[in-house]
């Protein structure tokens, strides 16, 4: 890494540094162009009720295929967008698009929770809540069908101000989840202060279940904590039956992961939902849920 010696003086120079900077600038430029040309897409990953095997919701995940660079993952471009502030415009598009798709499904009689990731930079914009309120007012999606996935980092910054903002969001009728729970800060006091609906157990605690004793203990503790606080709890990154069986036995409510499906195009999601059944839909699935 680059070491700093005094203010603004860099001790070491690595050629890699320029490449990184160039890549970042290139990505920043390409992202702005992609948004203007409507080349971002949302893909929808099913969230499944562990007990019934039915689909209860989706998480909207950004997808971007650049003409020259090919498919670029959110893990690569979101941090850059957060640094440059572009996430504000991008996050605004994500909310708008997720609400549009959620509304369309709702009007088709498909009952789902639409979960949307909200970055800390976006959440802290003074216009965030008013802008979301406008989008909801202009949409026929019931606000209760929209869930915002917040990270722990949002919740520990200026607690009093955050509480006011979360209350305002809940007053709009939307639901609030903590994403990647357990990877941020260990201060649990916010769990009782903030008006939350759901915890998402981070994939890093799910991956080695049930063999890794520490992960098993952490996952179980998070599930028990959620239940005691009357929050729903969903595990992310579930890839096999063993993980699912462990989570079900431990009392987890829901899961999301490749075991069911990756994030899908809307049409592919609908096909899948038809196949395995929706929690709130009346028709029973023709095949038994894979439980
Ligand atoms: P996240 O919100 O925790 O989303 C879950 C990530 O885990 C997604 O990666 C998803 O594709 C991946 N995943 C789900 N199930 C499995 C599984 O069984 N195995 C494995 N290996 N992976 C699984 P993705 O789509 O690459 O997104 C990465 C991160 O980028 C997200 O993590 C989120 O923090 C961020 N992100 C994605 N879309 C948005 C967005 O619209 N806005 C913001 N602010 N951040 C976003
Ligand atoms: Mg998420
Ligand atoms: Mg997550
Ligand atoms: Mg995660």
């Amino acid at each position: 890494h680059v070491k700093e010696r005094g203010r603004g003086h860099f001790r070491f120079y690595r050629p890699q540094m320029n490449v990184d900077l160039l890549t970042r600038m290139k990505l920043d430029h390409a992202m702005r162009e992609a948004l203007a040309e409507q080349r971002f897409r949302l893909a929808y990953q099913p969230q499944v009720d562990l007990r019934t095997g039915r689909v209860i919701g989706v998480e909207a995940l950004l997808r971007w295929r650049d003409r020259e660079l090919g498919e670029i993952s959110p893990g690569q471009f979101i941090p850059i967008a957060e640094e440059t502030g572009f996430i504000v415009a991008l996050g605004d598009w994500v909310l708008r698009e997720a609400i549009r798709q959620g509304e369309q499904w709702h009007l088709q009689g498909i009952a789902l929770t639409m979960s949307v990731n909200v970055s800390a930079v976006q959440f802290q914009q003074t216009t965030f809540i008013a802008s979301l309120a406008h989008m909801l007012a202009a949409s026929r999606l019931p606000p209760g069908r929209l869930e915002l996935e917040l990270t722990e980092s949002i919740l520990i910054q200026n607690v009093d101000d955050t509480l006011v903002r979360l209350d305002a969001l809940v007053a709009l009728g939307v639901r609030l989840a903590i994403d990647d729970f357990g990877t941020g800060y260990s201060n649990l006091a916010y769990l009782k202060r903030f008006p939350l609906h759901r915890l998402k157990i981070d994939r890093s605690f799910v991956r080695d279940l049930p063999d890794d004793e520490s992960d098993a203990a952490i996952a179980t503790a998070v599930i028990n904590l959620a239940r005691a606080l009357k929050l729903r709890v969903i595990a992310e990154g579930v890839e096999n039956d063993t993980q699912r069986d462990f989570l079900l036995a431990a009392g987890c409510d829901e899961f999301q992961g490749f075991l069911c499906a990756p994030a899908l195009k809307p049409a592919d999601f609908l096909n899948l939902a038809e196949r395995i059944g929706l929690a709130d839909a009346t028709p029973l699935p023709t095949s038994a849920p894979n439980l």
Side-chain angles (χ1 to χ4, degrees), residues 149-187:
E149 294 194 3
L150 312 171
T151 57
E152 288 173 83
S153 64
I154 290 180
L155 304 178
I156 52 109
Q157 299 172 10
N158 194 349
V159 171
D160 292 327
D161 183 53
T162 299
L163 186 55
V164 170
R165 297 168 70 72
L166 295 181
D167 282 340
L169 288 170
V170 171
L172 291 179
V174 302
R175 303 171 67 82
L176 303 174
I178 305 187
D179 204 354
D180 305 331
F181 185 73
T183 61
Y185 297 81
S186 51
N187 179 2

Side-chain angles (χ1 to χ4, degrees), residues 59 117 149 179 200:
E59 177 176 10
N117 293 284
E149 294 194 3
D179 204 354
K200 296 195 79 174

Side-chain angles (χ1 to χ4, degrees), residues 210-254:
D211 300 330
D212 187 298
E213 284 177 25
S214 308
D215 289 340
I218 292 168
T220 306
V222 173
I223 291 163
N224 290 335
L225 183 66
R227 294 175 71 88
L229 293 168
K230 301 202 163 43
L231 304 174
R232 295 188 71 81
V233 57
I234 180 166
E236 59 179 30
V238 175
E239 297 185 352
N240 58 55
D241 292 339
T242 333
Q243 293 165 336
R244 181 194 51 196
D245 294 346
F246 177 91
L247 290 160
L248 177 61
C252 191
D253 299 306
E254 296 139 14

Side-chain angles (χ1 to χ4, degrees), residues 59-119:
E59 177 176 10
L61 291 159
L62 260 171
R63 294 293 177 258
W64 173 30
R65 174 178 289 280
D66 181 79
R67 280 200 218 95
E68 288 167 34
L69 305 167
E71 191 79 28
I72 304 166
S73 76
Q76 290 175 281
F77 66 79
I78 295 277
I80 298 174
E82 286 175 336
E83 262 174 52
T84 62
F86 177 65
I87 191 69
V88 174
L90 186 57
D92 189 78
W93 179 84
V94 169
L95 266 174
R96 216 171 280 282
E97 175 62 12
I99 289 172
R100 186 200 63 75
Q101 182 63 77
E103 175 187 51
Q104 186 183 318
W105 282 335
H106 173 70
L107 296 176
Q108 288 175 264
I110 298 160
L112 291 169
T113 297
M114 172 68 73
S115 291
V116 180
N117 293 284
V118 174
S119 145

